[in-house]
Amino acid sequence: MMPSLPPVVTSPRHWLLGPGHYAQREPLRWLPKWIEEYGDVFRIVSPLGQATIIGSPELARQVLIDRYPHYQKKSKPYMVLRILMGNGLVTSEGEFWRGQRKLVQPAFHRRRLEALFAMMVERVNDTVARMSRAAESGDTLDFAPLLSQLTLDIISRAMFSSDMQGAAAGVSHHIAILNEYALQMLRHPWLFLLPRRIPLPFTRKPVHALRSMNVTVQSIIQSRRREPHAHDDLLSMLLSACEEDTGRRMTDEQLRDEVMTIFVAGHETTANAMAWLLHLVSQHPEVEQRLLAEIDARWTEGGLTFQNIHAFTYTRQVIEESLRIYPTIWSIGRRCTQEDELGGYQVPVGMNVVVPIFYFHWSERFWPEPQLFDPSRFSPERRPAPEAMIYFPFGAGPRSCIGNHFSLQELMIMTILFHRHFQFRMAPGFVVEPDPLITLRPKHGMKMLLRVRAQSIDRATLQIASPG
């Protein structure tokens, strides 16, 4: 006999959408409560569809790693991302995804990260110089847009060896519009029913932004095809990438989708992660004191280099613990493509399965005092093993984030350079609230006050500190 379907959540119920309304509006609150009430496998059913939620490391491993071929398709919410990214690595599936992953993977090799290191330091130092003016004036600074601008600047220079000939500001504006459009779609699922090709007040701006982005990116791709060896950047690597057995290279459309995917995924998650880290460190003086002590003690006259950044071991622990408490990739959704069984329950073909990463990071089942910000959890003697499946901020299995090392390198550079020069404090009266949509982002931004640690910061000082 086939096992039964997982139990269905019955309360609380919205008059129309049932419990799905609460899962969509307040997942960080309700999913842990339902796991405690219904166990490690249960269903949420609404007029818009249904999903199975899992809450044990063993089941997470089954979905993401052990029986990965059963769960190759992305869940329905990824339709929103497909509007922005097309059929790039985040949204593509099956054999096509596997082929694209092989083509894109070399662009994030360790040697490529080393080549990008000095550029990252330069861009962060430029932001530090601008931050110093806000510190001296005593103005409140919202770090959410500042960090988004910085990480977009870094990814555009990594991709195109420049700020796209002055187009970076326009790209930033268009991506902001498209992000907001995607967020509204997730907040109000009924918007999926609206035709996107017919100009409506809601769709006019994002349609224009997407067209403008396509024109910009495609013109750069076509220009590069005429000069394939003129640059040394991520785009040049994508242009030259080919499959060993077939010799296949990416078409212009495939290149566009991968460029958009790297742009959107490569700046949003890192910017949010850094904003959460600044918040956490500012609220924990003992962590801040130890972090500042390491930065001061390990700093050398030559500044940060790819070789010496690994000496900042406590800094890395602070980043990892911050990603535990605020995982920017807070949930993973998959669709079952081959009938399976999870925890003794049937998972039919087409069922959406949700792995709530934040629950594994927050649960007392897996962590002592999980809400305590304690970077020593990631010291060598305490670090959880990857196979434990209780900590996976970049996902797990074959579809884990391809840019995780790129992001961690950015976070290391930002954490060290920001805290070398400043102390951060939350703006008086400002309330921090997580907003779990595409990523886990600060709902109201991250408004902070800065205090300069060094005697003075000017461009000359910063240029001396930059390697190369």
Side-chain angles (χ1 to χ4, degrees):
M1 292 181 60
M2 287 297 298
S4 61
L5 291 170
V8 177
V9 171
T10 57
S11 67
R13 294 189 61 83
H14 183 265
W15 67 275
L16 176 63
L17 301 177
H21 171 80
Y22 298 93
Q24 191 267 328
R25 290 298 181 93
E26 297 182 275
L28 305 183
R29 175 187 177 190
W30 287 106
L31 292 188
K33 288 187 176 183
W34 289 332
I35 290 173
E36 184 176 345
E37 181 177 353
Y38 293 94
D40 289 335
V41 189
F42 60 89
R43 279 182 299 149
I44 300 172
V45 179
S46 80
L48 297 173
Q50 62 176 322
T52 292
I53 315 297
I54 60 175
S56 79
E58 295 75 22
L59 297 177
R61 166 176 283 278
Q62 182 174 326
V63 170
L64 299 177
I65 302 175
D66 294 342
R67 297 190 194 172
Y68 154 74
H70 291 50
Y71 300 94
Q72 292 194 51
K73 285 188 174 292
K74 293 299 188 83
S75 60
K76 290 181 180 179
Y78 284 84
M79 291 169 57
V80 177
L81 295 178
R82 195 165 278 118
I83 297 170
L84 281 70
M85 303 177 180
N87 206 28
L89 278 182
V90 170
T91 54
S92 58
E93 300 167 341
E95 289 301 320
F96 179 80
W97 168 82
R98 269 188 286 275
Q100 289 298 102
R101 177 89 179 200
K102 289 180 181 178
L103 290 175
V104 176
Q105 185 78 55
F108 294 93
H109 191 274
R110 186 179 187 273
R111 288 192 299 272
R112 172 54 45 185
L113 294 181
E114 184 173 5
L116 294 171
F117 191 90
M119 178 274 291
M120 289 183 177
V121 171
E122 178 188 16
R123 303 323 303 155
V124 175
N125 271 335
D126 185 69
T127 299
V128 167
R130 287 184 282 119
M131 288 163 56
S132 68
R133 293 190 283 273
E136 291 165 1
S137 66
D139 294 337
T140 298
L141 197 59
D142 186 351
F143 273 85
L146 181 144
L147 291 169
S148 182
Q149 182 183 0
L150 170 59
T151 56
L152 185 59
D153 183 21
I154 288 174
I155 197 64
S156 68
R157 291 172 186 272
M159 179 66 71
F160 300 113
S161 302
S162 68
D163 67 348
M164 297 173 59
Q165 296 77 46
V171 169
S172 177
H173 176 68
H174 295 321
I175 286 181
I177 291 173
L178 291 167
N179 271 346
E180 187 57 35
Y181 174 63
L183 296 177
Q184 290 298 324
M185 296 277 284
L186 287 176
R187 287 192 181 103
H188 309 290
W190 57 268
L191 292 171
F192 279 102
L193 303 176
L194 294 178
R196 288 193 291 276
R197 296 190 178 183
I198 299 176
L200 299 170
F202 174 70
T203 60
R204 190 174 293 114
K205 277 189 176 181
V207 166
H208 173 72
L210 190 59
R211 286 174 180 168
S212 298
M213 281 290 298
N214 285 340
V215 169
T216 300
V217 173
Q218 287 170 353
S219 66
I220 293 174
I221 290 172
Q222 290 165 8
S223 173
R224 285 295 190 86
R225 286 206 187 277
R226 293 191 292 270
E227 299 179 290
H229 305 296
H231 299 83
D232 179 21
D233 50 30
L234 296 185
L235 179 57
S236 67
M237 295 193 70
L238 297 179
L239 282 164
S240 62
C242 67
E243 292 181 345
E244 291 184 6
D245 50 346
T246 66
R248 179 182 76 89
R249 296 179 186 270
M250 279 187 262
T251 65
D252 283 1
E253 182 180 359
Q254 290 166 356
L255 278 166
R256 176 266 173 207
D257 291 348
E258 298 305 346
V259 167
M260 284 295 293
T261 295
I262 294 170
F263 257 120
V264 176
H267 91 278
E268 172 83 4
T269 52
T270 306
N272 289 337
M274 192 65 212
W276 289 122
L277 184 148
L278 293 176
H279 163 63
L280 286 168
V281 171
S282 75
Q283 300 300 296
H284 295 82
E286 68 288 351
V287 173
E288 180 186 54
Q289 184 177 7
R290 185 172 173 185
L291 175 65
L292 297 179
E294 177 181 83
I295 292 171
D296 292 343
R298 303 249 181 223
W299 188 264
T300 63
E301 289 186 7
L304 281 183
T305 67
F306 187 77
Q307 288 71 33
N308 69 25
I309 197 169
H310 304 291
F312 296 83
T313 54
Y314 186 72
T315 302
R316 175 65 178 255
Q317 292 174 38
V318 169
I319 292 169
E320 291 177 315
E321 174 69 346
S322 179
L323 287 171
R324 184 188 68 81
I325 293 183
Y326 290 109
T328 52
I329 303 172
W330 63 278
S331 179
I332 296 175
R334 294 287 185 267
R335 202 183 321 166
C336 185
T337 57
Q338 184 177 338
E339 193 169 90
D340 198 15
E341 182 179 320
L342 285 172
Y345 294 103
Q346 178 190 3
V347 183
V349 173
M351 173 67 77
N352 290 310
V353 178
V354 176
V355 182
I357 293 176
F358 77 94
Y359 171 75
F360 296 92
H361 287 198
W362 293 0
S363 177
E364 292 181 351
R365 294 165 60 183
F366 315 123
W367 304 89
E369 299 183 274
Q371 294 305 313
L372 177 65
F373 182 53
D374 178 13
S376 68
R377 298 180 202 271
F378 292 92
S379 59
E381 60 274 10
R382 294 183 60 190
R383 175 185 300 275
E387 57 269 20
M389 292 296 290
I390 62 172
Y391 178 77
F392 44 108
F394 295 99
R399 295 204 68 143
S400 60
C401 176
I402 197 171
N404 61 332
H405 295 298
F406 185 101
S407 177
L408 285 170
Q409 179 165 293
E410 277 186 283
L411 289 169
M412 286 288 290
I413 292 169
M414 286 189 285
T415 301
I416 293 167
L417 292 178
F418 284 0
H419 288 93
R420 170 167 163 74
H421 295 294
F422 306 106
Q423 283 187 299
F424 299 81
R425 293 294 180 265
M426 302 307 301
F430 180 72
V431 177
V432 176
E433 183 181 353
D435 196 12
L437 290 167
I438 296 176
T439 60
L440 188 63
R441 66 178 195 167
K443 188 171 187 177
H444 310 293
M446 190 62 70
K447 296 178 181 177
M448 308 191 82
L449 298 172
L450 298 179
R451 182 173 70 84
V452 177
R453 293 187 64 220
Q455 291 297 317
S456 64
I457 300 178
D458 56 30
R459 286 190 176 273
T461 302
L462 295 176
Q463 287 170 357
I464 291 171
S466 299

